[in-house]
């Protein structure tokens, strides 16, 4: 979760393109089918990252080295993963924009548009770069006023032709991002994560190199046009804004008025839950007392409502993510979070205005504190928010809390083999706890990636180069991944529902856990919006089973206030909500049967690419199956009575 946030904040604003020299050659290419196959590169940095980004001489030399490596990759390898391929090309088009290779950029935009599957991204690809090139060719840069006017005209003409109902979220996202970006913020983003490590190792990986290039591109190419981009997008939004129809209300099923059903235990394996928000829906371990003792001898002290682990994977009795001096800090954190969400949704609120003003005056060294406060608050409310979505309209759901702890710091605790083994032990213990307490559904709005482990190693300056970090990351990642896989596999009677992820990539290629496991008792959920349109952030791929609402989903914060938040973290508990309701109506359902009901009850999206959950349809399927089961039972009963009658006659 830490990595997902930081990447979305950094958001390398490159528009993907395809370079002329990347055409097929006569030689046979090596296939890249997994993330492990990707070549790793390391680049020497004898200065600070800020100097590398802002110095034309230093950057030009560095950029040439990166370009050579990427061109070599494109010539040498056949990359099956489209996202990885487009990311490579995106770096090159950023460089082409920086150095004025406009013909290649324009050619590339069309090539990559053919590869893009998400409708909104496909339609909006290249709009800003196209407008820049058209304006530059029409009036040049000498007359700044004329150039900006021409740019605004071309950008406005391009976006006005696009359908609001498809690109709404993407337009709002880009506008909000531009409003928050400044040179200080962008430099602070990269400094807060990697500057300390660079001063230690004097090197960066190809992943960080991509961020460096993206930031240079944004500072030099887009920031000078920030006001124009925001103005054009704001005008488009105001002229077209119509709230999308909400398809989810008519699909929902509410069991609040239903009687005589048996409660089921739903585990929220997350960052903790405020038990006072859900007083009537919390699981209670009646064999335990709040006395500092392990009354039921299960290895956990005071586990009345569930279990919890610290960042160091030590057991704790604290079920809610801790914030120091919470009483003083939480009001400001809430205001900052609401401001960020409002900016992203293009909502003019006092909180959004305050946040924009704060960021506009922010110095690079202040970015670290800003990011860490934001992340700490997200982790604080995350589990409580997820729990509310999972039990909405289901008074028979009982929330069992299983708290894990993610790191809110921009430079996280270093990944080690020792810590990986402790995580592995935690995974095993938690799933055993689920089994011992008759959990039927587990929501997991989190995950780990190999790339994230490499990034954390680099942020801590661990490893002599990128290749060594990749090997160590794989060792560490596999320890936790295998343990979690084995634990879930050992509980075939429990349905684990997990978020696909928010990084707009293929979960299988990136080797996410648990979403890439492919076990029969795992359901992987991606995110669409209130109208069923795919969100720009959701990860995807063959392992993603269904999609649910993950856009501005309202639920509770610790303390009882409400907040609307977006992410696959919200779409996953929407699917868990459906699963738990199906099981409440028919407790004998197995995880495989529940998944079957959810998938067969789902509707195809308009472009036929996605399966959107439809609770009403799944309930209708369940009702028809129950009817068939009852008919079969009646037939079996009649046959049994007939056999008894025959035996009596024969006797």
């Amino acid at each position: 979760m830490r990595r997902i946030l930081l990447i979305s904040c950094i958001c390398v604003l490159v528009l993907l393109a395809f370079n002329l020299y990347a055409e097929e050659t006569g030689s046979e290419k090596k296939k890249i089918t997994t993330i492990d196959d990707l070549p790793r590169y390391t680049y020497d940095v004898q200065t600070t990252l800020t100097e590398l980004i802002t110095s034309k001489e230093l950057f030009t030399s560095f950029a040439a080295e990166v370009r050579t490596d990427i061109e070599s990759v494109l010539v040498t390898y056949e990359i099956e993963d489209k996202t990885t391929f487009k990311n490579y090309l995106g770096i090159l088009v950023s460089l082409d924009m920086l150095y004025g290779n406009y013909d290649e950029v324009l050619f590339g935009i069309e090539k990559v548009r053919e590869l893009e599957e998400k409708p909104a991204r496909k339609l909006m690809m290249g709009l800003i770069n196209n407008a820049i090139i058209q304006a530059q060719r029409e009036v040049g840069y000498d007359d700044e006023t004329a150039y900006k006017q021409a740019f605004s005209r071309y950008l406005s003409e391009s976006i006005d032709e696009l359908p609001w109902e498809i690109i709404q979220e993407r337009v709002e996202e880009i506008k909000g991002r531009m409003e928050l970006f400044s040179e200080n913020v962008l430099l602070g983003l990269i400094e807060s994560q990697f500057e300390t490590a660079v001063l230690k190792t004097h090197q960066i990986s190809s992943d960080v190199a991509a961020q460096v290039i993206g930031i240079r591109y944004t500072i030099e190419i887009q920031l000078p046009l920030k006001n124009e981009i925001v103005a054009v997008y704001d005008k488009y939004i105001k002229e077209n804004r119509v709230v999308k129809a909400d398809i989810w209300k008519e699909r929902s099923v509410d069991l609040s008025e239903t009687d005589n059903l048996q409660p089921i235990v739903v585990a929220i394996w997350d960052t903790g839950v405020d038990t006072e928000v859900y007083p009537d829906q919390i699981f209670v371990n009646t064999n335990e007392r709040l006395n500092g003792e392990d009354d039921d001898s299960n290895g956990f002290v005071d586990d009345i409502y569930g279990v919890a682990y610290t960042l160091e994977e030590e057991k704790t009795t604290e079920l809610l993510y801790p914030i120091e001096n919470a009483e003083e800090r939480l009001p400001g954190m809430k205001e900052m979070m609401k401001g960020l969400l409002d900016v992203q949704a293009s909502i003019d609120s006092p909180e959004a205005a305050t946040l924009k003003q704060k960021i506009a005056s922010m110095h690079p060294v202040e970015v670290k504190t800003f990011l860490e406060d934001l992340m700490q608050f997200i982790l604080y409310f995350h589990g409580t928010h997820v729990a509310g979505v999972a039990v909405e309209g289901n008074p028979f759901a009982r929330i069992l809390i299983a708290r894990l702890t993610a790191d809110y710091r921009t430079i996280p605790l270093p990944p080690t083999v020792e810590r990986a083994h402790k995580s592995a032990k935690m995974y095993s213990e938690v799933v055993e706890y689920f089994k011992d307490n008759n959990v039927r559904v587990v929501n997991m709005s989190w995950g780990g990636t190999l790339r994230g482990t490499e990034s954390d190693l680099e942020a801590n300056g661990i490893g002599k180069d990128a290749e060594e970090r990749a090997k160590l990351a794989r060792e560490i990642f596999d320890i936790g991944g295998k343990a979690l896989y084995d634990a879930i596999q050992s509980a075939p009677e429990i349905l684990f529902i997990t978020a696909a992820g928010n990084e707009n990539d293929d979960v299988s290629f990136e080797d996410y856990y648990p979403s890439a496991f492919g076990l029969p008792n795992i359901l992987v959920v991606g995110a669409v919006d209130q109208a069923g349109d795919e969100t720009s952030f959701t990860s995807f791929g063959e392992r993603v089973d269904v999609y649910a609402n993950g856009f501005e989903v309202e639920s509770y914060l610790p303390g009882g206030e409400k907040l609307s938040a977006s992410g696959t973290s919200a779409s996953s508990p929407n699917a868990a909500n459906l699963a738990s309701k199906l099981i409440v109506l028919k407790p004998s359902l197995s995880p495989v049967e529940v998944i079957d009901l959810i998938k067969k009850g789902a509707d195809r999206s308009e472009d036929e690419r996605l399966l959107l959950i439809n609770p009403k349809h799944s309930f209708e399927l369940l009702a028809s199956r129950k009817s068939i089961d009852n008919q079969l039972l009646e037939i079996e009963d009649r046959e049994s009575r007939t056999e008894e009658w025959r035996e009596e006659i024969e006797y």
Side-chain angles (χ1 to χ4, degrees):
M1 289 175 284
R2 182 198 70 85
R3 175 176 161 75
I4 289 172
L5 173 73
L6 294 181
I7 286 186
S8 65
C9 285
I10 288 175
C11 190
V12 179
L13 289 176
V14 293
L15 296 171
L16 307 176
F18 189 99
N19 275 41
L20 293 168
Y21 47 72
E23 295 290 339
E24 286 289 338
T25 63
S27 58
E28 185 176 349
K29 295 184 176 183
K30 302 175 185 176
K31 283 192 176 182
I32 290 179
T33 58
T34 71
I35 190 172
D36 294 287
D37 297 333
L38 290 175
R40 268 68 169 183
Y41 295 102
T42 304
Y43 302 98
D44 291 334
V45 179
Q46 298 304 319
T47 62
T48 65
L49 287 176
T50 296
E51 289 176 298
L52 177 61
I53 292 169
T54 57
S55 167
K56 184 174 182 179
E57 181 180 355
L58 292 174
F59 182 82
T60 298
S61 175
F62 159 77
E65 191 177 354
V66 175
R67 180 188 286 276
T68 298
D69 288 336
I70 293 177
E71 290 175 356
S72 175
V73 169
L74 296 178
V75 169
T76 307
Y77 297 94
E78 180 184 340
I79 304 170
E80 293 187 355
D81 181 62
K82 291 182 181 179
T83 303
T84 301
F85 185 45
K86 290 186 293 185
N87 286 343
Y88 278 127
L89 301 172
I91 299 168
L92 293 176
V93 80
S94 295
L95 295 175
D96 287 331
M97 284 297 296
L98 284 165
Y99 294 105
N101 302 326
Y102 294 148
D103 287 338
E104 291 187 353
V105 172
L106 294 174
F107 178 81
I109 288 171
E110 295 306 315
K111 286 293 183 181
V112 175
R113 184 176 283 118
E114 296 173 6
L115 299 173
E116 181 59 56
E117 294 183 351
K118 290 189 175 183
R121 286 180 176 269
K122 192 181 191 75
L123 287 171
M124 292 195 66
M125 186 170 298
L127 289 191
I128 292 175
N129 278 347
N130 265 316
I132 290 172
I133 294 170
Q134 287 174 298
Q136 193 276 334
R137 287 178 170 173
E138 178 182 318
V139 301
Y141 292 117
D142 293 337
D143 187 337
E144 183 178 352
T145 300
Y147 167 68
K148 289 184 175 181
Q149 289 175 346
F151 168 79
S152 295
R153 184 177 73 255
Y154 284 120
L155 182 61
S156 183
E157 289 173 356
S158 297
I159 199 168
D160 284 345
E161 296 177 355
L162 302 181
W164 165 260
E165 63 274 10
I166 296 177
I167 68 168
Q168 171 187 346
E169 181 218 347
R170 185 69 176 149
V171 173
E172 292 172 343
E173 176 189 341
I174 294 174
K175 174 181 175 283
R177 190 178 296 153
M178 289 304 300
E179 288 181 297
L180 296 178
F181 276 176
S182 68
E183 182 170 341
N184 281 347
V185 167
L186 291 166
L187 294 176
L189 285 166
I190 196 80
E191 287 176 11
S192 65
Q193 297 173 84
F194 298 110
E195 195 71 272
T196 300
V198 168
L199 293 174
K200 174 184 175 182
T201 64
H202 302 291
Q203 62 175 232
I204 58 174
S205 68
S206 48
D207 282 348
V208 178
Q211 295 181 31
V212 166
I213 291 170
I215 289 173
R216 170 82 181 201
Y217 162 85
T218 306
I219 290 172
E220 187 171 324
I221 302 296
Q222 290 198 349
L223 280 186
L225 297 165
K226 173 179 176 177
N227 292 337
E228 287 69 29
I229 294 170
V230 170
V232 169
Y233 282 17
D234 184 60
K235 177 176 176 288
Y236 176 79
I237 291 168
K238 288 177 178 176
E239 290 178 348
N240 292 277
R241 173 167 268 169
V242 176
V243 177
K244 285 186 175 184
D246 188 343
I247 68 170
W248 301 108
K249 290 181 181 179
E250 64 182 20
R251 296 171 179 227
S252 65
V253 175
D254 196 322
L255 301 182
S256 299
E257 303 300 322
T258 308
D259 298 320
N260 303 319
L261 296 176
Q262 290 298 312
I264 69 163
V265 182
V266 178
I268 304 300
W269 199 355
D270 211 283
T271 59
V273 176
D274 183 355
T275 58
E276 295 182 5
V277 174
Y278 310 104
D280 301 323
Q281 290 187 280
I282 295 293
F283 157 87
V284 177
N285 177 6
T286 57
N287 296 319
E288 192 75 12
R289 300 289 180 270
L290 190 62
N291 56 12
E293 303 289 338
D294 181 9
D295 299 294
D296 55 5
S297 302
N298 66 353
F300 294 93
V301 173
D302 293 347
D303 58 310
I304 298 175
Y305 307 122
V307 297
Y309 288 79
T310 67
L311 182 61
E312 292 77 18
E313 313 295 13
E314 302 292 342
K315 293 175 183 176
T316 179
T317 59
E318 197 169 3
L319 294 178
L320 187 60
Y321 193 93
I323 292 182
E324 293 183 8
N325 304 318
E327 190 172 337
E328 299 175 12
R329 298 171 62 203
L330 279 175
M333 287 179 161
K334 289 178 184 177
E335 181 179 345
M336 180 173 61
M337 188 68 204
K338 185 177 186 303
L340 179 63
L341 294 171
D342 286 348
V343 169
Q344 290 176 337
S346 200
I347 296 172
D348 295 325
S349 67
E351 293 85 357
T354 300
L355 179 66
K356 284 187 276 191
Q357 185 177 5
K358 175 183 176 67
I359 289 180
S361 61
M362 192 176 290
H363 191 272
V365 296
E366 298 176 296
V367 174
K368 180 176 184 291
T369 300
F370 171 78
L371 283 178
E372 291 185 343
D373 279 354
L374 183 64
M375 191 63 203
Q376 197 170 10
F377 183 67
I378 289 174
L379 295 173
Y380 170 73
F381 83 74
H382 196 273
T384 303
H385 193 276
V386 164
V389 179
V391 302
E392 175 71 23
N394 186 1
F396 307 100
R398 298 295 177 263
I399 300 167
L400 184 150
I401 302 166
R403 176 193 142 198
L404 50 75
T405 304
D407 203 334
Y408 69 87
R409 293 168 296 185
T410 57
I411 301 176
L413 204 63
T416 65
V417 171
E418 180 184 4
R419 284 189 63 218
H421 282 296
K422 293 179 75 173
S423 296
K425 185 171 183 288
M426 180 268 289
Y427 294 145
S428 177
E429 290 173 345
V430 170
V431 174
E432 284 300 315
Y433 191 87
F434 293 159
K435 291 192 284 188
D436 291 342
N437 288 280
N438 301 312
V439 170
R440 298 298 308 275
V441 176
V442 178
N443 187 81
M444 305 168 67
S445 289
W446 53 271
T449 66
L450 179 66
R451 196 185 296 271
T453 307
E454 288 186 49
S455 177
D456 290 349
L457 288 170
E458 181 168 8
N460 282 277
I462 297 172
K464 70 176 183 179
D465 56 27
E467 288 188 357
E468 182 174 280
R469 275 192 299 276
K471 291 178 182 177
L472 178 57
R474 172 53 73 185
E475 180 184 1
I476 292 170
F477 182 77
D478 282 350
I479 292 169
K482 184 179 185 305
L484 184 58
Y485 182 96
D486 291 344
I488 293 174
Q489 189 179 45
S490 75
E493 72 283 2
I494 299 176
L495 174 57
F496 293 82
I497 299 182
T498 186
N502 299 333
E503 298 198 58
N504 186 35
D505 54 17
D506 190 313
V507 300
S508 298
F509 182 84
E510 292 292 332
D511 203 4
Y512 279 58
Y513 71 67
S515 53
F517 283 168
L519 289 168
N521 58 332
I522 286 183
L523 184 74
V524 183
V525 189
V528 291
D529 66 13
Q530 72 269 34
D533 296 326
E534 189 175 17
T535 63
S536 62
F537 57 78
T538 186
S539 293
F540 48 82
E542 292 183 359
R543 291 294 190 199
V544 180
D545 298 297
V546 292
Y547 289 75
N549 187 15
F551 185 72
E552 296 184 10
V553 178
E554 187 179 64
S555 186
Y556 291 97
L557 302 177
E561 293 182 38
K562 284 191 170 183
L563 180 77
S564 295
S566 300
T568 54
S569 286
S571 59
S572 176
N574 265 309
N577 181 293
L578 170 56
S580 61
K581 287 174 179 174
L582 290 169
I583 294 172
V584 163
L585 291 179
K586 188 176 181 182
S588 64
L589 287 172
S590 69
V592 172
E593 291 173 322
V594 174
I595 291 173
D596 185 61
L597 285 168
I598 291 174
K599 293 176 74 171
K600 286 185 176 175
D603 300 322
R604 283 283 174 188
S605 58
E606 287 189 10
D607 59 8
E608 299 293 320
R609 293 173 46 246
L610 314 178
L611 276 178
L612 312 182
I613 67 168
N614 189 326
K616 274 194 175 179
H617 286 175
S618 292
F619 271 69
E620 289 167 0
L621 282 175
L622 177 62
S624 64
R625 291 186 185 186
K626 288 174 71 175
S627 175
I628 292 172
D629 289 345
N630 290 335
Q631 292 176 28
L632 291 173
L633 286 173
E634 289 179 7
I635 292 172
E636 291 177 1
D637 183 57
R638 286 199 300 269
E639 289 177 346
S640 176
R641 283 188 277 112
T642 300
E643 186 63 30
E644 290 175 359
W645 176 75
R646 285 174 177 167
E647 290 177 355
E648 289 177 3
I649 294 297
E650 290 175 359
Y651 178 77

